[in-house]
Amino acid sequence: MNNWKKVYSTNETHKAEIVKLTIENHNIPAVILNKRDSSIYNFFGEREIYVANENENEALKIIENEISFT
């Protein structure tokens, strides 16, 4: 993942999916890296959204301007 930058992190699956899909709707490939604990309890860890280095600034602007979880 040397050519990828993390643009978002959350412990909630649905938020990670929303962010990924919103970025992809702007024709920017995005991936979710699941760092969630695989134990039976599955309470710890994050889901991180990554985009290619050259798309980092645009993806961050999209997240800031189009997504709100308040």
Side-chain angles (χ1 to χ4, degrees):
M1 304 244 353
N2 291 336
N3 296 324
W4 294 76
K5 293 287 188 176
K6 180 173 66 170
V7 293
Y8 190 78
S9 181
T10 182
N11 61 358
E12 298 181 54
T13 303
H14 69 282
K15 288 182 180 181
E17 290 293 338
I18 290 169
V19 170
K20 178 181 181 281
L21 291 172
T22 303
I23 292 170
E24 289 178 335
N25 282 339
H26 289 272
N27 297 315
I28 298 174
V31 295
I32 296 176
L33 181 60
N34 186 354
K35 291 192 168 184
R36 197 94 184 202
D37 181 6
S38 61
S39 72
I40 192 167
Y41 298 106
N42 204 12
F43 292 128
F44 306 103
E46 297 280 315
R47 284 169 175 77
E48 299 174 345
I49 312 299
Y50 285 83
V51 298
N53 287 343
E54 62 268 13
N55 296 323
E56 178 185 16
N57 290 335
E58 187 176 355
L60 290 170
K61 287 178 187 176
I62 291 166
I63 292 167
E64 181 181 336
N65 294 328
E66 296 187 25
I67 301 172
S68 174
F69 294 115
T70 57

